[in-house]
Amino acid sequence: MRDKMTVIFADEKEAEVRSFTFNDIYKGLLAGSAHDLTERLLEGYSEPKKKSGVYFKLTDDQFVPNEGLSREEWLQTRVLRRYLYTLELLAIKNNFGALKVKWIDDAPPTDEPLQDYIAKHIAGIVFWNYAEEKFEP
């Protein structure tokens, strides 16, 4: 039997990783530009909602870096990095809860353990602010 991967959130809640996926958000883009798709995707994301069961982390570092453009120019041409990551978690040890954490980044690093990479992306998230309560383990 394989060991289960667990992570610790900012509120010290331990959760088991149930699944971890990443998908190329530009794969199959046949019409429009990467910027157009970026803007359409961003319309669907908003600030994380309390107790929604999903936390979508969106920061400027999830976009292709600004290379000498003014902030206004960059906003008019920005594109998201290539991959959308989805991490599904289940809290363990008393008070079960489920949470999906999503973020956008380049391809996963090959020089960093997966658990460290995940931990970096959940740092600062208070699990119980966004998790849905589950009554079964």
Side-chain angles (χ1 to χ4, degrees):
M1 185 170 149
R2 298 171 119 181
D3 289 335
K4 295 178 181 179
M5 182 186 295
T6 62
V7 293
I8 307 290
F9 282 82
D11 55 356
E12 298 185 11
K13 185 61 182 169
E14 184 177 13
E16 176 186 317
V17 174
R18 289 298 180 101
S19 73
F20 177 71
T21 58
F22 61 99
N23 298 298
D24 184 338
I25 60 176
Y26 299 113
K27 184 177 181 177
L29 178 63
L30 299 176
S33 67
H35 171 72
D36 294 338
L37 180 56
T38 292
E39 295 307 313
R40 281 197 304 272
L41 288 171
L42 292 177
E43 288 172 10
Y45 297 124
S46 60
E47 289 297 313
K49 294 182 176 54
K50 301 269 185 190
K51 298 291 184 184
S52 69
V54 178
Y55 180 93
F56 180 72
K57 175 184 170 184
L58 183 64
T59 56
D60 279 353
D61 65 346
Q62 292 180 73
F63 294 92
V64 173
N66 177 353
E67 306 243 346
L69 301 174
S70 70
R71 177 85 176 155
E72 185 177 297
E73 291 170 322
W74 179 72
L75 288 172
Q76 292 184 5
T77 60
R78 68 183 174 175
V79 294
L80 290 166
R81 292 183 185 264
R82 193 123 202 132
Y83 296 96
L84 172 64
Y85 289 80
T86 303
L87 177 65
E88 295 188 36
L89 303 131
L90 182 66
I92 53 179
K93 298 181 185 169
N94 306 325
N95 300 332
F96 290 93
L99 179 62
K100 284 183 187 179
V101 177
K102 296 180 178 237
W103 69 89
I104 294 171
D105 202 352
D106 290 323
T110 58
D111 60 345
E112 179 178 25
L114 181 59
Q115 191 159 2
D116 293 349
Y117 178 70
I118 289 171
K120 183 170 48 179
H121 285 282
I122 65 163
I125 300 172
V126 176
F127 184 88
W128 284 116
N129 281 355
Y130 303 99
E132 290 183 308
E133 289 186 40
K134 298 288 182 187
F135 298 105
E136 55 187 87

